[in-house]
DNA sequence: GTTACTAGTATCGAGTCGATATTATATTTA
DNA sequence: TAAATATAATATCGACTCGATACTAGTAAC
C-alpha cells in the first residue's frame, strides 16, 4: 500500500461525511439527531434502547440520552417503558418522524452518478474497512438479521436461534444489536 | 444499482466517520478542531484563511472563526495578518500543533489490514464519489497542486500558471483552494 | 467619494460531547 | 434474605459546534 493511501481514505470519508452533514441541518433536526432517528427506523424492537443507540453511534449513554430526549420533544419518537425490566426503555419512531425520510442526501445523489461496477467495488471496500475497524475496536456490528450466524432462513421469513423467535420477512431486514457475522 | 446500495454507502461513511471521531476526542482537542488543524498542516500559504478552512469543511466562516480561535488559544496555530490586505489572516501550525500528528486513526489502522487491490479500488471509488458530490454542490475540490490544470511540471518542482509562481517539490504536494482538476 | 463588496468576528440559542454523579431497578452472593 | 454489586437511564457541568444574524473594518467599483 502506498504510504499516503490510508490517510487519503480517512480524509475522503471525513470530507464526504461533512458534506452530507451540511445538508442535514434544517428541518428542525441536526446530523446527530438524524443518525439516531435513522437508526431507530431500521432497528428491531430489541435494539432501540438508549444504550443500543449509544453503541451504534460510538458515543456515551449520557450523550445519546439527551439526543433522544430532544427527538421526543419534537414528537419524532416516543418512549416505551419495558414491562419486565422497569429500568429499560425502547424508543419508537412516530408518523411525523417517518415522514422526514423523503429527501435524498448528497452522497446518495452522487452514488447514482457512478457506474454499477464502481458502486459494487466501493461498497465492498467500505464493508471490509468497517468490518476490520469494528473488530479492532471491539465494537458490535449491528448488521441485519438476514446476515447473522444465529439466523435460520425459513419458507416465510426466518428464525432467530439466539432469542428463539420467529421472524417475519420485514424483521429479517432489521438491524439487531446481537448481530454476529455469519462466517 | 441495487435500491439500497446508495443508502448503505451513506450509512457506512457515517459510521466510519463516527468511529474515528470517537478516538479523536482527548489530547485537549476535538474532531472538528482536528480536521481544521490537519487541513492547515497540508494547505499552502494562499489557502490558510478562515474562509478557506470554512469552504473546505463545508461550514460557515463564523463557525470556523471560533474553531480557529480555540486552536490558537491552545497554542496549536498562530495567526499572521496579511500585509497588503489588512482584512485577511493566514494561520500557521506551530511546533506544538505539529507534534499531535503522531497517532494513527482507527480508519488508517483498519486500512492497513486490507489487501493492496482492495485499497486501490476503495480509494478510486471514494475519489469518484467525492468528485461527483463536490461538483453537484458546486464546492471547490481542494486538491494538491500536482494534480491541478494550472500546474506545469518542471525539472525541480513545478510552476503555477494561475498565480505565476515557481513551486518547490514539497509545495507541489500541498492543498490549494484554487485547485482545478486537470482534465 | 459614496456605494458596494469582502474578510473576519461577536453573540445567540439549541445541541453535541465526555465526565461525573445520581436514581432506580436487577442480579449476585454471602 | 439481606447486603453488595451491577446495570439502565438521567441530570448536570464546561467546552465546544453550528447556523443565523448583526456588526466592524478594510477594499474595490463606479
Amino acid at each position: 500500500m502506498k504510504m499516503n493511501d490510508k490517510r487519503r481514505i480517512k480524509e475522503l470519508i471525513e470530507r464526504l461525511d461533512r458534506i452530507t452533514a451540511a445538508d442535514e441541518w434544517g428541518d428542525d433536526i441536526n446530523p446527530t439527531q438524524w443518525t439516531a432517528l435513522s437508526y431507530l427506523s431500521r432497528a428491531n424492537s430489541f435494539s432501540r434502547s438508549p444504550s443500543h443507540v449509544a453503541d451504534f453511534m460510538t458515543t456515551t449513554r449520557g450523550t445519546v440520552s439527551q439526543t433522544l430526549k430532544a427527538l421526543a420533544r419534537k414528537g419524532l419518537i416516543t418512549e416505551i417503558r419495558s414491562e419486565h425490566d422497569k429500568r429499560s426503555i425502547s424508543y419508537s419512531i412516530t408518523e411525523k418522524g417517518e415522514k422526514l425520510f423523503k429527501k435524498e442526501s448528497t452522497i446518495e445523489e452522487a452514488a447514482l452518478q457512478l457506474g454499477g461496477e464502481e458502486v459494487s467495488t466501493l461498497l465492498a471496500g467500505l464493508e471490509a474497512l468497517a468490518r476490520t475497524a469494528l473488530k479492532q475496536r471491539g465494537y458490535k456490528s449491528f448488521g441485519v438479521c438476514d446476515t447473522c450466524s444465529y439466523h435460520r432462513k425459513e419458507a416465510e421469513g426466518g428464525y432467530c436461534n439466539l432469542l428463539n423467535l420467529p421472524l417475519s420477512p420485514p424483521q429479517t431486514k432489521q438491524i439487531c444489536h446481537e448481530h454476529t457475522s455469519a462466517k
Side-chain angles (χ1 to χ4, degrees), chain A:
Chain A
M1 177 165 73
K2 277 184 203 144
M3 246 322 277
N4 288 330
D5 281 0
K6 61 184 200 299
R7 175 152 192 187
R8 184 74 183 136
I9 288 172
K10 191 204 167 202
E11 276 179 5
L12 284 167
I13 287 172
E14 277 184 4
R15 187 124 197 255
L16 284 164
D17 187 64
R18 291 196 70 97
I19 289 168
T20 34
D23 42 46
E24 278 173 357
W25 282 92
D27 287 330
D28 201 29
I29 207 173
N30 68 37
T32 298
Q33 289 169 3
W34 189 268
T35 300
L37 189 66
S38 165
Y39 170 80
L40 289 175
S41 79
R42 313 223 307 126
N44 67 28
S45 58
F46 314 113
S47 310
R48 294 195 214 122
S49 72
S51 298
H52 297 141
V53 182
D55 284 351
F56 177 77
M57 294 180 70
T58 333
T59 184
T60 59
R61 289 195 309 271
T63 297
V64 158
S65 186
Q66 293 175 78
T67 300
L68 297 176
K69 292 286 172 195
L71 287 171
R73 231 172 16 243
K74 292 171 187 177
L76 303 173
I77 59 175
T78 41
E79 64 175 62
I80 300 159
R81 306 205 80 96
S82 165
E83 292 291 298
H84 64 233
D85 185 339
K86 286 179 187 164
R87 291 168 306 177
S88 63
I89 293 178
S90 185
Y91 279 92
S92 216
I93 194 161
T94 63
E95 290 263 324
K96 188 179 168 192
E98 210 75 72
K99 275 187 192 140
L100 268 86
F101 292 100
K102 293 237 177 73
K103 68 159 185 282
E104 208 149 69
S105 74
T106 302
I107 286 183
E108 288 173 312
E109 281 175 33
L112 285 171
Q113 303 299 312
L114 301 183
E117 178 71 15
E118 223 163 7
V119 166
S120 51
T121 56
L122 170 58
L123 201 46
L126 286 172
E127 295 277 10
L129 193 62
R131 207 162 38 236
T132 310
L134 292 168
K135 194 195 284 177
Q136 276 179 345
R137 287 293 188 260
Y139 294 146
K140 295 193 284 184
S141 58
F142 285 94
V144 296
C145 290
D146 237 356
T147 63
C148 180
S149 60
Y150 293 112
H151 183 259
R152 195 173 70 227
K153 206 180 166 73
E154 307 240 306
E156 272 293 283
Y159 191 88
C160 174
N161 287 323
L162 183 66
L163 306 173
N164 287 309
L165 279 170
L167 303 167
S168 70
Q171 283 177 323
T172 66
K173 297 289 183 191
Q174 289 185 316
I175 293 170
C176 183
H177 75 107
E178 298 277 22
H179 180 270
T180 308
S181 288
K183 66 183 167 315

